[in-house]
Amino acid sequence: MDMTMHLSRTDKGREEIFNLGHTLRPRHRQILFSVGNGISFSELRGKLPNCADLEAMVNDLLQSGFIQALRNMATPQSAPVIQATSAVPTSSPESLEAARSYVLEFMAALVGVKSPAYRQMSEIKDVAGFNAVLPMCRRVIAAVASPHQAAEMETEAAKRMAV
C-alpha cells in the first residue's frame, strides 16, 4: 500500500463511530477511529505499530465503504496552518449572512445541528459575534472531521465576509 495515501472516514464510517453502530470488529473500529480524516497510511502505521494486519484491515474498511482514499495531499505536519482569520470589520450585513450561512451549512453536514458551536453560530447578529464564534466552529470541525476541512471552512467564510 502506498505510504503517502491519505485516508478519511466516509459518512458510513462517521455513522459507525459517532452513532455507536458497532457493526465492526473491535480492531477494525480502532483503525476507523484512528483514521479520522486526512491521515496518511504511514501516519496510521505509526499510530498502530503493533497491528500486523493493518494493510489488510485498511483494505477491508476501504472496500466496505467505512473509509475512503483521498487524493495525495501534503502531510498534516507540512500542510499550511491557517490561523483564525478576522473578517473585514466593515463588511455588509449581506456578506455577514452569506458567511454565517456557509459556516452553518458546512457544520450541519459534518457535525450536525445539535452542536453547541452550531447553535452559537446560528444566534450571532454581528461581525464581532461571528469572529468570536468562528474559531470554536473551526476547532469542532478539526476534531470531528479534519484540520484541513476546518481551514477550508474558515478560509471560505473569510472570503464571503470580504465580499
Side-chain angles (χ1 to χ4, degrees), residues 63-149:
Q63 290 182 355
S64 58
F66 288 101
I67 61 174
Q68 63 186 348
L70 299 174
R71 66 189 182 281
N72 283 342
M73 299 168 26
T75 58
Q77 290 84 5
S78 64
V81 176
I82 300 173
Q83 295 298 324
T85 58
S86 59
V88 180
T90 58
S91 62
S92 68
E94 293 81 20
S95 62
L96 172 63
E97 183 55 33
R100 188 178 77 87
S101 296
Y102 172 78
V103 171
L104 289 172
E105 287 175 23
F106 201 94
M107 291 192 67
L110 292 174
V111 180
V113 296
K114 294 183 180 180
S115 162
Y118 181 93
R119 181 185 51 77
Q120 287 185 15
M121 181 57 74
S122 68
E123 295 172 353
I124 65 117
K125 303 286 185 220
D126 57 12
V127 173
F130 182 84
N131 289 334
V133 175
L134 188 61
M136 178 177 36
C137 294
R138 177 192 167 94
R139 286 189 300 273
V140 170
I141 295 290
V144 173
S146 75
H148 176 74
Q149 287 176 308

Side-chain angles (χ1 to χ4, degrees), residues 12-23:
K12 183 177 179 181
R14 282 188 288 279
E15 196 70 27
E16 174 73 18
I17 294 292
F18 297 114
N19 293 337
L20 307 173
H22 297 292
T23 61

